Amino acid sequence: MEECKAIRNDYDENNLTYELVWSDEFNYEGLPDPAKWAYDVGVHFNNELQYYTGGENTEVKDGRLVIKALKEQSNGYKYTSSRLVTRHKGDWLYGKFEISAKLPSGTGTWPAIWMLPTDAEYGRWPASGEIDIMEHVGYNQNQIHFSAHTLEFNHTKRTEITAYTHVDDVSEKFHKYSLEWLPDKLRFMVDDREYFKYKPTDLVECPQFIHWPFDQKFHLVLNIAVGGFWGGKNGVDDSIFPQEMTVDYVRVYQAKELKDR
């Protein structure tokens, strides 16, 4: 039997010194900074209906990043969008992640701000984990979802660890979506208010990667999906397009006490 791996909690949560280690303030024009962002082209999951382009659906203007979902044919798909990633350009173990964003609206949209493992040390999804800082489905306006996926806890088994809250004006105003990732817990916040915490020591006596794969480096993902098993649950309203997710900034902080652990 595989030896059980305990979650580390040998740190003082109340005395962490956070420093800004990576950011994009989008204070330039054109395409997203290639030193910080790449694209997942074409990739799609969950029965989604969009084709992810390389850069045609992104633009930086007026100090903000704009990700566009369009109703247009591409590579056999009816819609196009973009999925930006920091993989191999921004990969972190633990930290605070803050993203200020204004979301699309309308039935069929499925924007997300989330994190995936860079090296998938424990195997393919969901074994190496997924962290959903913010998910939104357009048919349920102003409801924000947070989730942690692991081998034991994930939506395919209907065991995902998740929560949601009501946030006014998510498509009209910018809100700050945040994650504090610590060696033994994940804390999810909107506008600095905590709404959800995943702490597997509350759930299992002997944690290991099936409950806590979050001891390896992850990267950020920003995207708008169209349709899919969740986003398209009530169909897709073609009259809503084009749709945009606008991002004011992305900031990553790390505590010097937890770096290089």
Side-chain angles (χ1 to χ4, degrees):
M1 180 180 296
E2 183 179 348
E3 182 179 353
C4 197
K5 182 179 179 182
I7 295 175
R8 298 183 66 170
N9 60 3
D10 54 338
Y11 69 99
D12 184 352
E13 184 176 354
N14 297 316
N15 287 288
L16 296 177
T17 308
Y18 280 101
E19 303 170 325
L20 184 68
V21 296
W22 191 97
S23 68
D24 200 335
E25 303 294 330
F26 304 111
N27 53 359
Y28 53 91
E29 300 284 324
L31 292 174
D33 185 350
K36 296 179 179 180
W37 300 100
Y39 305 91
D40 279 342
V41 176
V43 63
H44 65 283
F45 302 99
N46 303 311
N47 204 35
E48 296 165 11
L49 303 177
Q50 79 289 328
Y51 183 86
Y52 286 127
T53 64
E56 297 88 338
N57 292 65
T58 60
E59 182 181 13
V60 178
K61 63 178 181 179
D62 301 324
R64 288 164 176 162
L65 166 69
V66 180
I67 299 174
K68 306 172 186 178
L70 306 175
K71 182 181 179 296
E72 61 178 3
Q73 293 284 340
S74 181
N75 293 275
Y77 292 86
K78 187 178 176 181
Y79 309 92
T80 63
S81 185
S82 194
R83 174 164 150 161
L84 285 167
V85 297
T86 65
R87 186 175 56 247
H88 302 308
K89 300 171 185 286
D91 308 275
W92 306 277
L93 174 62
Y94 313 134
K96 282 186 178 179
F97 303 83
E98 298 180 349
I99 300 92
S100 175
K102 184 168 60 175
L103 308 181
S105 63
T107 300
T109 59
W110 182 1
I113 300 167
W114 50 306
M115 301 187 76
L116 284 173
T118 297
D119 298 315
E121 178 181 343
Y122 301 117
R124 298 179 61 183
W125 191 94
S128 292
E130 174 185 323
I131 305 170
D132 297 325
I133 301 172
M134 184 289 303
E135 282 189 284
H136 175 266
V137 287
Y139 67 81
N140 204 346
Q141 187 67 24
N142 296 326
Q143 192 169 98
I144 298 299
H145 297 255
F146 325 91
S147 302
H149 294 282
T150 74
L151 188 62
E152 183 69 16
F153 305 119
N154 64 80
H155 69 267
T156 63
K157 298 173 65 174
R158 299 184 182 276
T159 57
E160 70 269 27
I161 305 297
T162 188
Y164 63 87
T165 191
H166 181 92
V167 180
D168 288 330
D169 303 320
V170 297
S171 300
E172 291 76 36
K173 297 180 180 179
F174 287 91
H175 293 275
K176 182 169 70 174
Y177 302 99
S178 306
L179 166 74
E180 185 176 22
W181 172 15
L182 295 164
D184 63 336
K185 64 177 72 72
L186 302 171
R187 300 176 60 237
F188 299 78
M189 291 153 280
V190 180
D191 297 329
D192 296 318
R193 179 178 175 183
E194 181 180 324
Y195 287 97
F196 175 49
K197 178 169 66 177
Y198 174 53
K199 186 178 180 183
T201 48
D202 294 339
L203 302 171
V204 291
E205 293 182 3
C206 188
Q208 51 189 312
F209 85 90
I210 65 170
H211 309 105
W212 185 259
F214 308 115
D215 57 357
Q216 58 179 313
K217 288 186 175 183
F218 276 58
H219 59 272
L220 280 165
V221 184
L222 309 178
N223 71 287
I224 306 174
V226 179
F229 292 123
W230 188 20
K233 183 178 178 180
N234 291 349
V236 178
D237 180 0
D238 283 348
S239 70
I240 65 173
F241 293 94
Q243 285 292 319
E244 297 179 350
M245 177 163 70
T246 306
V247 181
D248 191 27
Y249 61 78
V250 179
R251 298 170 184 163
V252 180
Y253 303 82
Q254 287 191 302
K256 63 182 181 179
E257 294 84 358
L258 299 180
K259 288 180 70 175
D260 304 319
R261 284 167 64 95

